[in-house]
Amino acid sequence: MLARVGEQPDWFAPATEAVLQEADVLLAAAGPRELEEATVRLLGRQLRRAVRESSGGRGSPGGWPSSPTRRRTAPAAS
């Protein structure tokens, strides 16, 4: 559910708490790439949970797939 301006959605506080509780994995990163990957995993876990809960377990709202898909594209013709 969307929140009004100045309000936080219901999932925000628990997600923030969970991220802060697991933030020690960020300190263990050996470099920028590991830090970025750890951050993506940490935040992504909470975002997926929030989307799953807000959509009643049906994947993403608006009919989006619940997991990203990769599509290969051919190089543009010149």
Side-chain angles (χ1 to χ4, degrees), residues 71-78:
R71 181 173 31 176
R72 298 185 100 178
T73 56
S78 38

Side-chain angles (χ1 to χ4, degrees), residues 9 13 15-16 19 22 29 38 41 43 47 51 53-55 59 72 74-75:
T16 301
V19 167
E22 298 178 38
R41 283 191 304 273
L43 296 176
L47 290 173
V51 167
E53 288 176 5
S54 70
S55 65
R72 298 185 100 178

Side-chain angles (χ1 to χ4, degrees), residues 15 18-26 36-48:
V19 167
L20 292 175
Q21 287 176 353
E22 298 178 38
D24 58 330
V25 299
L26 302 176
E36 180 179 18
E37 290 173 359
T39 302
V40 167
R41 283 191 304 273
L42 185 60
L43 296 176
R45 206 172 11 250
Q46 295 307 314
L47 290 173
R48 283 189 303 274

